[in-house]
Amino acid sequence: RKYEKDDKEAHMQLSINLYRKNKYGLMNKSITLYDKKYGVDSNIDLNEYMKANALLKRSIEKLDNNLRKSAIAYYQKLADRTQDYSLKRAINMYLIDYYIDQENHVNTIQIAKKLYVTSRSNFDTETTEKAAEAILHGLAMLSQSDKVKTFLNDESVKKLIPKQTLLAYLTYSYLKIGDVKNVIRLYDKHKKRLGPSVHHSLLFNFGEALFRSA
């Protein structure tokens, strides 16, 4: 920060230094004082981000799940508010991984949908693909085969995700509700176009369907 001749920048540098030294109590006091003195300005995202990170680090150190939940709430609020796409993307990617790890498929889908929309509007194809896969993952885990089919019929999704990956998600959603006939039907329908290298998940779903049928 260019803090030599700017009191506001000097205050920001102080908060950052305290954050880097893991002095989170003093950092929070510094940020609170900054907010009172200068109000909401362009530094709000950075200040809120440091507070969320501090909570997350404390939760890891103390194995405190309540602190982690507070950090997650901070992240979600910040991701929804910020106009900084790179920050929004980074937080939402983290939240998707967090909710997948927690097996919270509803929240996985909600966050992934937000990221899908914002990444498309920012022409970030790689992130849009990851968001689409996260949506498919959540729907498949919730056995929402009809919604999986609807999402897969979207032309933009078809362009983003390889055909075999799409089939893997669809067959898994059928397999999860015990509809093995549709798994076998889909595989037989497309097998001639799959080529010699078939997606491992698709092979597993087909094999599992055959095993259950037998």
Side-chain angles (χ1 to χ4, degrees), residues 112-123:
K113 281 182 177 179
K114 291 178 183 179
L115 185 58
Y116 183 81
V117 172
T118 55
S119 60
R120 283 189 70 181
S121 63
N122 281 274
F123 306 101

Side-chain angles (χ1 to χ4, degrees), residues 50-140:
M50 286 193 293
K51 285 160 69 174
N53 285 349
L55 278 171
L56 188 65
K57 288 182 177 184
R58 279 180 170 174
S59 75
I60 294 167
E61 290 167 4
K62 298 183 178 182
L63 300 176
D64 187 331
N65 199 42
N66 287 327
L67 282 176
R68 190 173 191 185
K69 287 179 180 177
S70 296
I72 294 301
Y74 254 108
Y75 283 133
Q76 285 188 278
K77 185 178 177 181
L78 178 53
D80 288 340
R81 189 192 62 235
T82 185
Q83 298 301 309
D84 182 340
Y85 173 67
S86 61
L87 180 60
K88 187 187 291 286
R89 175 191 177 279
I91 294 173
N92 281 329
M93 289 291 287
Y94 171 76
L95 291 174
I96 287 170
D97 282 345
Y98 170 78
Y99 284 124
I100 288 175
D101 185 59
Q102 297 291 309
E103 297 184 0
N104 188 332
H105 307 304
V106 172
N107 281 6
T108 297
I109 293 168
Q110 288 176 347
I111 300 297
K113 281 182 177 179
K114 291 178 183 179
L115 185 58
Y116 183 81
V117 172
T118 55
S119 60
R120 283 189 70 181
S121 63
N122 281 274
F123 306 101
D124 183 358
T125 306
E126 183 182 351
T127 301
T128 306
E129 182 180 342
K130 290 178 181 177
E133 284 215 42
I135 293 169
L136 287 169
H137 171 84
L139 291 173

Side-chain angles (χ1 to χ4, degrees), residues 37-52:
K37 194 172 182 180
Y38 300 108
V40 176
D41 63 6
S42 60
N43 289 312
I44 186 171
D45 285 352
L46 178 55
N47 281 330
E48 292 296 298
Y49 187 60
M50 286 193 293
K51 285 160 69 174

